[in-house]
Amino acid sequence: MPIKGALFDFSGTLFRIEPVRSWLAATLAERGVRVDEAAFERYAAELEAFGALPGGPNPKRMPEELAEGWAHRDENAELHRAVYTGLARQVALPDPGLYDALYDRHLRPDAWRPYPDAAEVLEGLRAAGVRIGIVSNIGWDLRPVFRAHGLDRYVDAYVLSFEHGVQKPDARLFRTACTLLGQNPTDVVMVGDDRRADGGAAALGCEVRFVRHLPVEERPDGLRELGLTEKVA
């Protein structure tokens, strides 16, 4: 059946956050903090192990006091910041201002890169009359990222978990998105990288397709390969 609407996840699907080392280096430079190479590598490895970069690797070690917050982190902005700065604080950084500065860094559009084929696929769908929505588990407003990278013009609706107080795979987020697009879920495809979270759209009758969560350089045409524009009405 031809698709009339397309929903996309954000992180790992259309965009990718910068690597941990780049995130840390940029923040240190902005704060004017200098560390030697050994210390830098240690900080980067520890921050990655604790999953302190939103959109980056998940924690390998989860402090007990943050576990509950982690499970609900994308349901409101305050909790999202508290959890991620709490994870960063597990690492003894040389400047106490770095914890909030690291969090603030990941909010900036230049910390994110679109996948190489993102604009092409969105443009193709839009040109074919397909309505496009973004459905993301996130604790902050990602619209400026889309605007800065020129992709906002393709998007008809944003449904962000922190604005609704629920997270994927909760079907309410996908239902809201379909309603905003004015489409029946059975005419909508959901594209994401997380089989559990993004797969929740299937409960409404949406077709679900997955891309691999890989660095930008390693996935030049993962969206294009889905053949979405071949299924338009």
Side-chain angles (χ1 to χ4, degrees):
M1 180 180 294
I3 61 172
K4 299 178 181 179
L7 304 177
F8 289 87
D9 173 50
F10 167 57
S11 176
T13 299
L14 291 176
F15 284 85
R16 176 86 175 194
I17 190 65
E18 64 187 335
V20 171
R21 296 178 81 260
S22 300
W23 169 63
L24 175 60
T27 306
L28 290 171
E30 289 166 6
R31 295 282 299 176
V33 178
R34 295 188 177 187
V35 298
D36 62 38
E37 184 176 350
F40 177 85
E41 295 298 338
R42 183 174 70 255
Y43 296 145
E46 291 176 351
L47 287 167
E48 182 168 342
F50 280 106
L53 172 58
N58 284 332
K60 297 176 183 175
R61 291 177 279 172
M62 174 60 66
E64 183 177 349
E65 67 273 16
L66 294 175
E68 180 65 17
W70 173 263
H72 300 279
R73 65 193 182 281
D74 293 318
E75 293 176 10
N76 70 74
E78 294 77 14
L79 181 59
H80 192 270
R81 176 181 282 272
V83 168
Y84 279 104
T85 56
L87 289 169
R89 286 190 173 92
Q90 305 304 306
V91 182
L93 297 177
D95 172 5
L98 282 169
Y99 302 109
D100 280 307
L102 284 166
Y103 184 87
D104 292 338
R105 165 71 190 175
H106 104 279
L107 303 175
R108 291 170 42 173
D110 61 344
W112 295 87
R113 290 176 60 191
Y115 280 92
D117 54 350
E120 174 190 328
V121 169
L122 294 178
E123 183 176 17
L125 289 170
R126 188 62 178 262
V130 175
R131 302 271 288 171
I132 296 171
I134 305 301
V135 183
S136 177
N137 279 352
I138 197 164
W140 50 277
D141 186 2
L142 51 72
R143 294 172 182 87
V145 177
F146 277 78
R147 288 195 293 267
H149 291 278
L151 300 187
D152 179 68
R153 63 182 181 271
Y154 304 121
V155 180
D156 297 293
Y158 293 90
V159 179
L160 311 181
S161 61
F162 84 101
E163 295 180 336
H164 296 268
V166 293
Q167 302 177 159
K168 297 182 291 186
D170 194 307
R172 286 176 287 179
L173 288 179
F174 303 108
R175 188 181 301 281
T176 296
C178 290
T179 298
L180 290 173
L181 297 185
Q183 301 297 334
N184 189 301
T186 57
D187 295 323
V188 174
V189 61
M190 173 68 202
V191 179
D193 66 302
D194 186 317
R195 292 187 177 274
R196 178 180 178 275
D198 300 314
L204 298 180
C206 295
E207 179 183 355
V208 184
R209 297 192 181 191
F210 297 100
V211 290
R212 291 176 296 164
H213 187 96
L214 292 172
V216 168
E217 296 79 8
E218 296 178 28
R219 211 194 75 195
D221 51 10
L223 292 163
R224 188 184 303 115
E225 289 175 346
L226 297 179
L228 297 173
T229 55
E230 300 170 6
K231 292 197 64 178
V232 298

